[in-house]
Amino acid sequence: MQPYLSPLPQCGKFTLGTMNLGWTFDRTTEFVKVVRAAMERNIPLHTSHVYNNGQTLNIIKLAFKEAPTQIPLFIAKIYCYNATQIRLDVEEVVERLGVEQIPIAQLAKNDHRHREIVDDVLSQGAMYQQLCQLREEGKVGHWTFESFQKFAMDANSAVDNDLFGSISFYFNALERETDTTSWEKISRKQLPIIALRGLSGGLVEPINEKSAGKPGKPLEMIDRRKQLEPLFEQSGCSSWSEFSIRFLVSHPQVKTIVIGTGSAKRVIENHEFISNTHCLNPEVVSQIHHHLSNWADQRTFDPDSPYV
């Protein structure tokens, strides 16, 4: 096994996404309580040093200082533009949070056309050396690879060559940010999955339709949800959130589901529900994937745009 590789640490089925924490300074105390609610139940966190211009890390830092014996496992996005950036991002997170290690570092990049790190790791270049050194120094426990359909060629190469011990991508009943070929390979190899955006940024729920069209919340998600209405009715679920969560729980290789909230009460509710829910009917799961594959196969991308 390559020296930078390690098994994905055991996570709870629910991970608290923290992007919603820190968007206003007026609610700092409330946001700290949200993190503390997760810490008290040993719920993992998903975060980034860029969320809310760094204020999200400040929120988490405050919560960690209040209860240093309750620091949970957490996932932090690390940008893999080059070897120097990887180290800078890792050191910023550990120093800001006052911890020794990032348990799970998610290799991310805002430019979704290409992931140079795949070729670099294959050739054991500078980024490969940095991954090895940071693991050896104990600053990173596990490297997970973030996938987007737009760089499917790189994602397929990473999966084909077993470059990473897990994969992270947007995954819920409305979206699966992998091309069909990648998904089939990930499934066949039973590669552990960190399911980001477990509720599609809230758009699985009809009540949140008004937020569609905002950054990261494409209008097409509404049409996609409507196409799934017969399957939703067939599932017997009482809400679309339940529908998406049970869809993800139906995949044993999904090791944790990342869902964001700014409510301490909702943290507890999500944790209890995800910990105790059960799978959807296999035929319903298969039909959802049929829709997701059709969507993936029909997508087109602007080759000059770095975004999805």
Side-chain angles (χ1 to χ4, degrees):
M1 186 167 68
Q2 292 285 357
Y4 68 88
L5 286 175
S6 63
L8 179 69
Q10 187 170 0
C11 308
K13 277 291 185 181
F14 167 52
T15 289
L16 172 64
T18 63
M19 183 184 285
N20 292 328
L21 308 180
W23 62 270
T24 174
F25 295 111
D26 296 335
R27 295 175 59 186
T28 296
T29 301
E30 179 183 349
F31 291 147
V32 170
K33 289 179 179 179
V34 174
V35 178
R36 287 294 307 278
M39 292 169 63
E40 289 167 3
R41 290 158 183 80
N42 199 31
I43 297 170
L45 309 175
H46 178 278
T47 194
S48 169
H49 65 290
V50 304
Y51 288 167
N52 298 299
N53 296 315
Q55 181 64 5
T56 299
L57 275 194
N58 288 336
I59 299 294
I60 297 172
K61 177 181 178 179
L62 287 171
F64 282 9
K65 289 180 71 174
E66 285 185 5
T69 62
Q70 294 182 331
I71 294 175
L73 179 148
F74 65 92
I75 306 164
K77 292 176 71 171
I78 302 299
Y79 287 91
C80 54
Y81 285 88
N82 53 60
T84 301
Q85 192 64 52
I86 290 172
R87 177 164 288 273
L88 285 173
D89 285 4
V90 168
E91 292 184 344
E92 178 177 359
V93 172
V94 297
E95 290 169 6
R96 290 272 302 280
L97 294 183
V99 297
E100 295 182 354
Q101 182 185 84
I102 299 173
I104 302 174
Q106 176 185 327
L107 290 164
K109 189 179 172 188
N110 286 335
D111 188 329
H112 297 308
R113 292 171 294 189
H114 186 44
R115 287 292 189 276
E116 295 87 347
I117 193 169
V118 173
D119 290 335
D120 184 279
V121 169
L122 285 171
S123 64
Q124 298 192 0
M127 285 190 274
Y128 167 87
Q129 298 296 334
Q130 198 70 266
L131 300 186
C132 294
Q133 290 170 19
L134 288 163
R135 273 275 298 140
E136 183 180 353
E137 294 167 16
K139 291 183 177 177
V140 170
H142 173 88
W143 296 104
T144 186
F145 181 66
E146 180 189 77
S147 175
F148 277 84
Q149 186 180 346
K150 193 166 188 178
F151 63 92
M153 185 179 297
D154 297 317
N156 273 293
S157 181
V159 175
D160 286 341
N161 291 281
D162 300 316
L163 297 189
F164 299 98
S166 67
I167 192 163
S168 313
F169 54 92
Y170 293 178
F171 190 25
N172 54 68
L174 304 187
E175 55 186 333
R176 190 189 68 206
E177 269 294 348
T178 62
D179 67 305
T180 301
T181 300
S182 294
W183 171 251
E184 290 173 350
K185 291 177 179 178
I186 291 165
S187 299
R188 186 167 59 252
K189 292 196 172 192
Q190 286 295 293
L191 186 63
I193 295 169
I194 296 172
L196 307 172
R197 282 171 56 100
L199 298 180
S200 192
L203 290 182
V204 295
E205 285 292 353
I207 195 172
N208 295 324
E209 282 189 13
K210 59 183 180 296
S211 68
K214 295 181 179 179
K217 299 187 177 186
L219 286 166
E220 66 185 61
M221 294 295 177
I222 306 305
D223 291 334
R224 204 172 307 154
R225 177 174 49 75
K226 291 178 179 178
Q227 291 173 17
L228 292 175
E229 284 179 352
L231 291 174
F232 171 72
E233 297 296 333
Q234 183 182 337
S235 73
C237 293
S238 60
S239 71
W240 279 89
S241 291
E242 177 186 349
F243 182 70
S244 188
I245 290 169
R246 287 180 57 193
F247 167 68
L248 293 172
V249 168
S250 301
H251 299 78
Q253 69 194 105
V254 171
K255 302 306 179 184
T256 195
I257 302 167
V258 181
I259 297 175
T261 180
S263 162
K265 178 182 177 183
R266 186 61 59 82
V267 169
I268 299 168
E269 292 173 348
N270 287 343
H271 181 237
E272 291 179 351
F273 180 78
I274 295 174
S275 298
N276 296 294
T277 195
H278 56 285
C279 303
L280 287 177
N281 181 293
E283 179 58 29
V284 173
V285 173
S286 177
Q287 287 300 312
I288 294 172
H289 275 295
H290 177 71
H291 281 271
L292 292 173
S293 292
N294 284 342
W295 166 62
D297 293 343
Q298 294 168 10
R299 292 178 82 184
T300 58
F301 300 101
D302 177 356
D304 296 322
S305 171
Y307 306 110
V308 175

